[in-house]
Amino acid sequence: MAETGASPLPPTPPTSLAHTPLTRAEQFVWLTARVLEQRRFAYHFLGGSADAVETALAAYRNADEGYGHALAPDLRGPVSQPLHTGQALRVLDSIGRCGGQRAERVCRYLTSVSTPDGALPAIHPSQRAYPAAPCLPIVDTPPSDLLATGPVVGLLHGNGVWHAWLFRATDFCWQAVDSLEQSHPHEIEAAVAFLDSVPDRPRAEAAADRLGRLVRGRRLAVLDPEELKDAAAYPVSPGCVPGGRHFPYDFARTPDSLARAWFTDEEMTRSLDFLMAGQREDGGWPVLPHCSTRERSPQRPWAPGIALESRPVVTIEALLTLRAYGRL
């Protein structure tokens, strides 16, 4: 007989739900994730509050309205960085809070760190005083970077944000996208993030069609995971470590992305099957290698805890992609 005042035991989940990909991922998140990722998971999959996500995200915001404090785990330290701020905008966009005065304040920070042509650098020199992944070089005069700028500009356009900085940044993105010839897969991803939301839809569709032919022609996406058994079938792009290949779902995160037209239904199904199969026994998805470095082996994390912080982020993104395609 239970003691008076004892808390009731939680209900036992039905056997049919006990080992689904989502419930396994939930256990992984509660076991390993930061508060922000716990609240993001709760919002997206458990009916949690958007306010709770925004409160957790606010802990990473600085007085300059940028974001720091290792929000993106590969950059440590408190200083604001475009990489952190882009991640913050993605979180805000996912909960429907990427607009209004909040976005205007972020744009003021982005203006303060942008290059002369209005683009964002990958890493601002202020990071020099703090640890960073060896594959992220820190220079005194960082170049304009499509990888940093494209996704941010796309998100802001997708949320109807208008700011003086956006005009210059948009012009930079168009020039960068139009000049992509022998591109790296990550540049294509950034270009898609821009093209999916930029207002000039006819121009975006034409640019996406050209990039799709480039992706297929240069075999930048693994169209049949079975062919990975042949190392020569999909050569790793320069700048990627062994294993750092891309799949259709990396480019077309949702069915309404312009990149979805690049792949047949069969190719998309195979890639989503491969993504689903990537869930590990502990319920999380792995952090796949994405850049090369001479300083350290790509098979080892460059600092303790980086993979532990990163895996819940990757896991949530994998789940969101699978759900967008009706796979959860």
Side-chain angles (χ1 to χ4, degrees):
M1 182 174 180
E3 297 179 8
T4 303
S7 299
L9 294 174
T12 301
T15 302
S16 61
L17 299 179
H19 297 292
T20 66
L22 190 56
T23 55
R24 290 168 56 207
E26 180 180 358
Q27 292 303 307
F28 172 77
V29 167
W30 294 133
L31 181 64
T32 67
R34 303 179 295 189
V35 172
L36 175 60
E37 281 69 54
Q38 291 180 8
R39 291 185 173 180
R40 288 187 66 201
F41 184 93
Y43 171 81
H44 288 297
F45 304 106
L46 302 175
S49 164
D51 288 341
V53 177
E54 192 165 6
T55 298
L57 182 64
Y60 297 88
R61 190 173 67 237
N62 287 319
D64 61 5
E65 299 299 342
Y67 289 76
H69 305 281
L71 177 56
D74 270 343
L75 295 180
R76 316 307 291 181
V79 294
S80 297
Q81 285 291 327
L83 187 63
H84 298 312
T85 306
Q87 174 66 12
L89 288 174
R90 284 190 288 275
V91 172
L92 291 170
D93 175 68
S94 72
I95 62 173
R97 300 284 178 90
C98 186
Q101 293 184 353
R102 185 183 295 101
E104 291 178 10
R105 291 194 297 268
V106 172
C107 284
R108 287 199 291 271
Y109 162 74
L110 298 174
T111 301
S112 72
V113 297
S114 63
T115 60
D117 55 5
L120 296 175
I123 310 294
H124 190 269
S126 60
Q127 184 65 37
R128 189 181 301 280
Y130 302 97
C135 63
L136 298 174
I138 301 171
V139 297
D140 291 333
T141 306
S144 302
D145 189 80
L146 178 62
L147 274 70
T149 313
V152 168
V153 173
L155 276 176
L156 293 174
H157 279 306
N159 285 275
V161 175
W162 289 100
H163 187 274
W165 171 76
L166 265 180
F167 290 98
R168 291 191 302 139
T170 301
D171 287 343
F172 164 80
C173 289
W174 275 126
Q175 293 170 10
V177 169
D178 289 343
S179 65
L180 289 178
E181 296 291 345
Q182 302 295 319
S183 183
H184 190 283
H186 293 297
E187 287 184 314
I188 302 293
E189 284 186 76
V192 170
F194 167 71
L195 295 172
D196 275 345
S197 297
V198 70
D200 190 342
R201 301 315 299 156
R203 185 176 179 183
E205 291 166 4
D209 182 67
R210 182 180 70 83
L211 293 182
R213 292 195 299 272
L214 186 153
V215 166
R216 297 189 70 92
R218 296 194 59 222
R219 299 178 72 82
L220 298 182
V222 177
L223 303 180
D224 185 354
E226 284 295 317
E227 294 182 359
L228 288 175
K229 297 173 183 177
D230 177 6
Y234 291 98
V236 177
S237 298
C240 283
V241 299
R245 294 181 175 87
H246 283 62
F247 298 83
Y249 59 76
D250 288 311
F251 301 105
R253 293 286 180 178
T254 64
D256 57 356
S257 170
L258 290 173
R260 176 61 185 88
W262 301 351
F263 310 107
T264 67
D265 290 347
E266 184 179 2
E267 290 165 349
M268 203 72 217
T269 296
R270 284 197 296 257
S271 78
L272 292 169
D273 289 344
F274 185 79
L275 177 61
M276 181 76 81
Q279 188 176 26
R280 297 298 188 250
E281 290 185 6
D282 62 7
W285 269 260
V287 178
L288 297 178
H290 61 280
C291 61
S292 62
T293 171
R294 296 177 182 176
E295 288 84 354
R296 299 174 189 270
S297 165
Q299 303 304 319
R300 297 197 305 270
W302 65 274
I306 302 300
L308 186 65
E309 292 183 2
S310 299
R311 286 190 65 206
V313 178
V314 173
T315 295
I316 291 171
E317 295 304 320
L319 291 170
L320 290 174
T321 295
L322 290 169
R323 186 173 69 179
Y325 283 95
R327 301 295 291 264
L328 290 181

